[in-house]
Amino acid sequence: MNELSILQKWVDESRKIVFFGGAGVSTESGIPDFRSTDGLYRQQYAYPPETVISRPFFDRHPEIFFDFYRSRMICLEAEPNAAHLKLAELERAGRLQAVVTQNIDGLHQLAGSRRVYELHGSIHRNICQRCGKTYTARQVKDWPDPVPRCPCGGIIKPDVVLYGEPLDEATLQGAAEAVAGAEILIVGGTSLAVYPAAGLVDLYRGNRLVLINRDPTPQDRRADLLIRGSIGEILGGISVSL
């Protein structure tokens, strides 16, 4: 039995699947990642991207932050791909319990997933730092001024986790409980190099850890099923029964 047949068999046998995904899930929708050959970290900017998207840089140089953020990180034209759509289908069929994602693009929800733990926040939530008023990603992207400011005068900050900021405790706890209680944990499209998010995999207690990725990861040896390839093609090829 090949890897895809094993994956299909395990999916057919479970109603407590959890998916843990990273940037590789969204690259197939045209959203650039950070660490690949063509990722944002490999491109030349006046400041390193990891510096620009840090909290200290946001506070000191909001105009440079928003120039980078609006041009490189808000991709409102992106559509869910086969992986997003299949995960939503698995949830509707009562087989998928939760999606845990490191992505901030909201494509899982756009595809129809309802129980999504967004570890690093979302571009779709933007909050005035003074009065708490919220704004959409479209409003922030199209803001006429270099730095979006609320009528109260406060800077509108994207609800994304910047370098130097902690993860939301409630989101992290919910994700941890979902991973710990899973029968099957499918990990896809992530280098498993960003902590504390990557550490969630260590909480999985089962014996059906599926790892789908184009490149090697630090957890490859632990995987019960290791599949190299496109996350969209592999998940998209799964048939879903009620």
Side-chain angles (χ1 to χ4, degrees):
M1 186 178 293
N2 64 29
E3 290 89 351
L4 298 181
S5 297
I6 295 172
L7 177 60
Q8 181 67 65
K9 179 176 182 294
W10 287 1
V11 168
D12 290 341
E13 293 173 349
S14 178
R15 290 190 176 275
K16 292 188 70 175
I17 302 169
V18 171
F19 178 80
F20 178 92
V25 179
S26 292
T27 53
E28 295 182 28
S29 292
I31 296 178
D33 64 3
F34 285 87
R35 291 174 174 79
S36 69
T37 303
D38 299 320
L40 294 178
Y41 285 175
R42 303 297 182 94
Q43 300 178 33
Q44 296 299 314
Y45 301 101
Y47 298 89
E50 59 266 40
T51 298
V52 176
I53 55 175
S54 68
R55 183 57 192 256
F57 196 92
F58 171 86
D59 290 333
R60 290 196 301 265
H61 307 288
E63 67 287 344
I64 301 176
F65 169 88
F66 277 105
D67 180 63
F68 178 88
Y69 176 76
R70 289 193 284 201
S71 64
R72 299 295 181 180
M73 298 181 69
I74 302 181
C75 304
L76 298 181
E77 294 73 29
E79 296 288 340
N81 60 54
H84 299 106
L85 296 171
K86 185 61 64 173
L87 291 168
E89 184 182 356
L90 284 166
E91 182 180 5
R92 289 193 297 271
R95 297 191 175 278
L96 184 81
Q97 295 296 303
V99 169
V100 179
T101 181
Q102 299 172 86
N103 298 333
I104 60 174
D105 49 54
L107 290 181
H108 284 293
Q109 291 92 330
L110 189 59
S113 290
R114 301 185 66 176
R115 190 179 182 191
V116 182
Y117 293 103
E118 296 175 305
L119 296 175
H120 296 155
S122 173
I123 64 170
H124 297 285
R125 297 186 299 270
N126 300 272
I127 305 167
C128 172
Q129 299 299 280
R130 180 176 295 178
C131 73
K133 184 177 179 180
T134 59
Y135 295 84
T136 67
R138 173 58 68 186
Q139 286 175 301
V140 170
K141 188 173 180 67
D142 295 343
W143 206 271
D145 302 316
V147 177
R149 291 184 181 273
C150 181
C152 78
I155 293 179
I156 300 165
K157 180 187 176 294
D159 188 21
V160 300
V161 179
L162 304 177
Y163 285 105
E165 293 184 319
L167 273 61
D168 178 75
E169 283 294 331
T171 301
L172 187 59
Q173 181 64 31
E177 292 174 358
V179 169
E183 292 176 354
I184 302 175
L185 178 62
I186 302 176
V187 180
T190 172
S191 63
L192 292 174
V194 178
Y195 283 81
L200 289 171
V201 178
D202 295 330
L203 301 177
Y204 176 60
R205 302 165 185 162
N207 59 1
R208 290 186 170 184
L209 173 60
V210 181
L211 206 158
I212 305 169
N213 207 46
R214 293 183 183 274
D215 302 311
T217 79
Q219 294 278 11
D220 284 3
R221 290 185 179 181
R222 187 185 166 199
D224 300 296
L225 181 61
L226 180 63
I227 307 176
R228 291 272 183 259
S230 158
I231 186 74
E233 290 179 7
I234 293 165
L235 290 186
I238 294 174
S239 62
V240 180
S241 59
L242 298 176

